[in-house]
């Protein structure tokens, strides 16, 4: 529920209450004190009952890395917030993201059985990998796996191959590589046009 999450990021808001007696403005403030006291806080929800005691689902976003810390059964409100900060700080201290936007150019793939001899391919999406073991993410390797040739017809959006990501010799993930265009199967008429075009070119 994105809209609910958006509302939980608000620390303080003025509300105008309109009645038959007129309009009255009052200020609402969030019960989540992390919004004011923790610079990366983005929400989410506090709660307490006599049995559950003081609870909190705390969300944060630091440098594009989103985390959630859940605290239950705290003895008081202050403790739930301090424990959530401890959890979030620990998470950010051990978590590191490797990201590849996949903007590099890919080689074209040869197509047999079509007038068009080659076709372009593209990455399906970017690649992100979360490491919490302290590995050197600058050592990540990317291998491109594509066929030397494919048989027409080719359909745009179908998988052509994949990008394989390795760290210390172990595969940590893949990203599909897709055909970027439709390449129809050549017909007898297509071949005649091609041959005729070559003949005209040579004759001229």
């Amino acid at each position: 529920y994105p809209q609910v999450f958006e509302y939980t990021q608000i620390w303080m808001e003025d509300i105008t209450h309109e009645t038959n007696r007129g309009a009255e403005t009052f200020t609402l403030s969030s019960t989540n004190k992390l919004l004011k006291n923790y610079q990366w806080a983005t929400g989410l929800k506090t709660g307490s009952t006599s049995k559950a005691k003081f609870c909190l689902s705390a969300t944060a976003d630091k440098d594009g890395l989103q985390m959630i810390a859940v605290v239950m059964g705290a003895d008081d409100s202050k403790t739930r917030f301090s424990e959530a900060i401890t959890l979030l700080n620990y998470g950010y201290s051990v978590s590191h993201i490797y990201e590849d936007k996949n903007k590099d150019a890919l080689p074209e793939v040869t197509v047999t059985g079509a007038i068009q001899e080659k076709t372009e391919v593209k990455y399906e999406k970017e690649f992100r990998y979360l490491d919490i073991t302290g590995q050197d993410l600058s050592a990540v390797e990317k291998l491109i796996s594509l066929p030397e040739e494919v048989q027409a017809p080719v359909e745009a959006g179908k998988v052509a191959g994949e990008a394989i990501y390795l760290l210390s010799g172990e595969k940590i993930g893949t990203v599909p590589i897709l055909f970027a265009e439709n390449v129809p199967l050549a017909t007898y008429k297509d071949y005649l046009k091609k041959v005729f075009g070559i003949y005209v070119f040579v004759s001229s």
Side-chain angles (χ1 to χ4, degrees):
Y1 300 94
Q3 194 171 22
V4 173
F5 182 60
E6 182 180 338
Y7 287 143
T8 68
Q9 300 180 48
I10 300 173
W11 165 243
M12 193 171 289
E13 184 79 8
D14 289 335
I15 305 296
T16 300
H17 186 203
E18 296 185 0
T19 67
N20 292 331
R21 293 178 296 178
E24 180 183 1
T25 300
F26 58 96
T27 301
L28 286 178
S29 59
S30 174
T31 55
N32 182 3
K33 297 185 184 300
L34 290 188
L35 293 175
K36 184 174 66 172
N37 300 327
Y38 190 68
Q39 67 183 109
W40 298 295
T42 57
L44 177 70
K45 183 68 175 71
T46 61
S48 62
T49 67
S50 58
K51 289 185 177 181
K53 298 186 179 181
F54 291 87
C55 306
L56 171 67
S57 294
T59 57
D61 188 335
K62 180 182 179 183
D63 299 328
L65 180 57
Q66 299 180 9
M67 287 198 177
I68 181 167
V70 179
V71 177
M72 297 182 289
D75 291 330
D76 53 61
S77 181
K78 184 178 180 179
T79 299
R80 68 179 168 187
F81 294 124
S82 63
E83 291 296 322
I85 289 175
T86 298
L87 287 170
L88 290 170
N89 284 342
Y90 172 75
Y92 283 122
S93 71
V94 299
S95 301
H96 300 88
I97 287 285
Y98 173 84
E99 186 174 27
D100 183 1
K101 295 291 188 180
N102 283 329
K103 299 295 186 181
D104 53 298
L106 289 166
E108 292 183 321
V109 176
T110 299
V111 183
T112 60
I115 296 298
Q116 181 176 325
E117 296 180 353
K118 292 183 179 295
T119 182
E120 294 183 351
V121 293
K122 62 181 181 180
Y123 294 103
E124 181 184 59
K125 57 184 178 180
E126 64 183 30
F127 176 74
R128 287 168 62 89
Y129 173 72
L130 173 65
D131 175 67
I132 58 172
T133 62
Q135 295 191 77
D136 179 10
L137 296 183
S138 66
V140 173
E141 299 176 80
K142 178 167 72 171
L143 304 178
I144 301 300
S145 176
L146 285 170
E148 291 186 4
E149 61 179 32
V150 293
Q151 176 66 44
V154 168
E155 183 178 345
K158 293 293 185 180
V159 175
E162 62 181 357
I164 304 168
Y165 293 85
L166 304 173
L167 182 58
S168 300
E170 298 291 329
K171 184 165 71 173
I172 59 173
T174 62
V175 170
I177 296 175
L178 312 177
F179 291 111
E181 55 187 333
N182 292 318
V183 181
L185 183 67
T187 64
Y188 179 72
K189 185 182 294 185
D190 292 325
Y191 285 115
L192 283 178
K193 288 180 179 179
K194 184 175 182 180
V195 171
F196 181 74
I198 294 173
Y199 172 77
V200 170
F201 175 76
V202 172
S203 299
S204 61

